[in-house]
Coordinates of all heavy atoms in Angstrom, one line a residue:
L170 N 66.9 105.1 91.5 CA 68.1 105.8 92.1 C 69.2 104.7 92.3 O 70.4 105.0 92.1 CB 67.7 106.5 93.4 CG 66.9 107.8 93.2 CD1 66.6 108.3 94.6 CD2 67.5 108.8 92.3
V171 N 68.8 103.5 92.8 CA 69.7 102.5 93.0 C 70.4 102.1 91.7 O 71.6 101.9 91.6 CB 69.0 101.2 93.7 CG1 70.0 100.0 93.7 CG2 68.7 101.6 95.1
G172 N 69.6 101.9 90.7 CA 70.1 101.6 89.3 C 71.0 102.7 88.8 O 72.1 102.4 88.2
F173 N 70.6 103.9 89.0 CA 71.4 105.0 88.6 C 72.7 105.1 89.3 O 73.7 105.4 88.8 CB 70.5 106.3 88.7 CG 71.1 107.5 88.0 CD1 71.1 107.5 86.6 CD2 71.6 108.5 88.7 CE1 71.6 108.6 85.9 CE2 72.2 109.6 88.0 CZ 72.1 109.7 86.6
H174 N 72.6 104.9 90.6 CA 73.8 104.9 91.5 C 74.8 103.8 91.0 O 76.0 104.0 91.0 CB 73.4 104.6 92.9 CG 74.6 104.4 93.9 ND1 75.0 103.1 94.2 CD2 75.4 105.3 94.5 CE1 76.0 103.2 95.1 NE2 76.3 104.5 95.2
A175 N 74.3 102.7 90.6 CA 75.2 101.6 90.1 C 75.9 102.1 88.8 O 77.1 101.8 88.7 CB 74.4 100.3 89.8
T176 N 75.3 102.8 87.9 CA 76.0 103.3 86.7 C 77.0 104.3 87.1 O 78.0 104.4 86.5 CB 75.0 103.8 85.7 OG1 74.2 104.9 86.3 CG2 74.0 102.8 85.3
L177 N 76.7 105.1 88.1 CA 77.6 106.1 88.6 C 78.8 105.4 89.2 O 80.0 105.9 89.0 CB 76.9 107.0 89.6 CG 77.8 108.2 90.2 CD1 78.2 109.1 89.0 CD2 77.0 109.0 91.2
I178 N 78.6 104.4 90.0 CA 79.7 103.6 90.5 C 80.6 103.0 89.4 O 81.8 103.1 89.5 CB 79.2 102.4 91.4 CG1 78.6 102.9 92.7 CG2 80.3 101.4 91.7 CD1 79.6 103.6 93.6
D179 N 79.9 102.5 88.3 CA 80.7 102.0 87.2 C 81.6 103.1 86.6 O 82.7 102.9 86.2 CB 79.7 101.5 86.1 CG 79.6 100.0 86.1 OD1 80.2 99.4 87.1 OD2 79.1 99.4 85.2
A180 N 81.0 104.3 86.5 CA 81.8 105.4 85.9 C 83.0 105.8 86.8 O 84.1 106.1 86.3 CB 80.9 106.6 85.7
N181 N 82.8 105.7 88.1 CA 83.9 106.0 89.0 C 85.0 104.9 88.9 O 86.2 105.2 88.9 CB 83.4 106.1 90.5 CG 82.9 107.4 90.9 OD1 83.7 108.3 91.2 ND2 81.6 107.7 90.8
N182 N 84.5 103.7 88.8 CA 85.5 102.6 88.7 C 86.2 102.7 87.4 O 87.4 102.3 87.3 CB 84.8 101.2 88.8 CG 84.4 100.9 90.2 OD1 84.9 101.5 91.2 ND2 83.5 100.0 90.4
A183 N 85.5 103.1 86.3 CA 86.2 103.3 85.0 C 87.3 104.4 85.1 O 88.4 104.3 84.5 CB 85.2 103.6 83.9
L184 N 87.0 105.4 85.9 CA 87.9 106.5 86.1 C 89.2 106.0 86.9 O 90.3 106.3 86.5 CB 87.3 107.7 86.9 CG 88.2 108.8 87.3 CD1 88.8 109.5 86.1 CD2 87.5 109.8 88.2
Y185 N 88.9 105.2 87.9 CA 90.0 104.6 88.7 C 90.9 103.7 87.8 O 92.1 103.7 87.9 CB 89.5 103.8 89.9 CG 88.9 104.7 90.9 CD1 87.8 104.2 91.7 CD2 89.3 106.0 91.2 CE1 87.2 105.0 92.6 CE2 88.7 106.8 92.2 CZ 87.6 106.2 92.9 OH 87.0 107.0 93.8
S186 N 90.2 102.9 86.9 CA 90.9 102.1 86.0 C 91.8 102.8 85.1 O 93.0 102.5 84.8 CB 89.9 101.2 85.3 OG 90.6 100.3 84.3
D187 N 91.3 104.0 84.6 CA 92.1 104.8 83.7 C 93.3 105.4 84.4 O 94.4 105.5 83.8 CB 91.2 105.9 83.1 CG 90.2 105.4 82.1 OD1 90.4 104.3 81.6 OD2 89.2 106.1 81.8
L188 N 93.1 105.8 85.7 CA 94.2 106.4 86.4 C 95.2 105.3 86.7 O 96.4 105.6 86.7 CB 93.7 106.9 87.8 CG 92.8 108.2 87.6 CD1 92.2 108.6 89.0 CD2 93.5 109.3 87.0
Q189 N 94.8 104.1 87.0 CA 95.8 103.0 87.1 C 96.6 102.8 85.8 O 97.8 102.6 85.9 CB 95.0 101.7 87.4 CG 94.5 101.6 88.9 CD 93.9 100.2 89.1 OE1 93.5 99.4 88.2 NE2 93.7 99.9 90.4
Y190 N 95.9 102.9 84.7 CA 96.6 102.7 83.5 C 97.6 103.8 83.2 O 98.7 103.5 82.7 CB 95.6 102.6 82.3 CG 96.3 102.3 81.0 CD1 96.7 101.0 80.7 CD2 96.4 103.3 80.0 CE1 97.3 100.8 79.5 CE2 97.0 103.0 78.8 CZ 97.5 101.8 78.5 OH 98.1 101.5 77.3
E191 N 97.3 105.0 83.6 CA 98.2 106.1 83.5 C 99.5 105.8 84.4 O 100.6 106.1 84.0 CB 97.6 107.4 83.9 CG 96.6 107.9 82.9 CD 96.0 109.3 83.3 OE1 96.5 109.9 84.2 OE2 94.9 109.7 82.8
A192 N 99.2 105.4 85.6 CA 100.3 105.0 86.5 C 101.2 103.9 85.9 O 102.4 104.0 86.1 CB 99.8 104.6 87.9
Y193 N 100.6 103.0 85.3 CA 101.3 101.9 84.7 C 102.1 102.4 83.5 O 103.3 102.0 83.3 CB 100.3 100.8 84.2 CG 100.8 99.7 83.4 CD1 101.6 98.7 84.0 CD2 100.6 99.6 82.0 CE1 102.2 97.7 83.3 CE2 101.1 98.5 81.3 CZ 101.9 97.6 81.9 OH 102.4 96.5 81.2
R194 N 101.5 103.3 82.7 CA 102.3 103.9 81.6 C 103.5 104.7 82.1 O 104.5 104.7 81.5 CB 101.3 104.7 80.8 CG 100.3 104.0 80.0 CD 100.9 103.3 78.8 NE 101.7 104.1 77.9 CZ 102.3 103.7 76.8 NH1 102.3 102.4 76.5 NH2 103.0 104.5 76.1
D195 N 103.3 105.4 83.2 CA 104.4 106.1 83.8 C 105.6 105.2 84.1 O 106.7 105.6 84.0 CB 103.9 106.9 85.1 CG 103.0 108.1 84.8 OD1 103.1 108.5 83.6 OD2 102.3 108.5 85.7
L196 N 105.2 104.0 84.6 CA 106.3 103.1 85.0 C 107.0 102.5 83.8 O 108.2 102.3 83.8 CB 105.7 102.0 85.8 CG 105.5 102.3 87.3 CD1 104.8 101.1 88.0 CD2 106.8 102.6 88.0
I197 N 106.3 102.1 82.7 CA 106.9 101.4 81.6 C 107.3 102.2 80.4 O 108.1 101.7 79.7 CB 105.9 100.2 81.2 CG1 104.7 100.8 80.5 CG2 105.5 99.4 82.3 CD1 103.8 99.8 79.8
S198 N 106.7 103.4 80.3 CA 107.0 104.1 79.0 C 107.4 105.6 79.3 O 108.3 106.1 78.7 CB 105.8 104.0 78.1 OG 105.5 102.7 77.7
N199 N 106.6 106.2 80.2 CA 106.8 107.6 80.3 C 108.0 108.0 81.2 O 108.4 109.2 81.3 CB 105.5 108.2 81.0 CG 104.3 108.1 80.1 OD1 104.5 107.9 78.9 ND2 103.1 108.2 80.7
G200 N 108.7 107.0 81.8 CA 109.9 107.2 82.4 C 109.9 108.0 83.7 O 110.8 108.8 84.0
V201 N 108.8 107.9 84.5 CA 108.8 108.6 85.8 C 109.9 108.2 86.7 O 110.4 109.1 87.4 CB 107.4 108.5 86.4 CG1 107.1 107.0 86.8 CG2 107.2 109.4 87.6

Side-chain angles (χ1 to χ4, degrees):
L170 293 176
V171 168
F173 194 70
H174 172 261
T176 61
L177 184 61
I178 289 293
D179 257 12
N181 273 280
N182 286 344
L184 174 62
Y185 294 146
S186 178
D187 290 343
L188 293 176
Q189 284 185 342
Y190 185 71
E191 289 182 15
Y193 175 70
R194 291 287 306 179
D195 286 343
L196 281 176
I197 68 169
S198 299
N199 297 339
V201 62

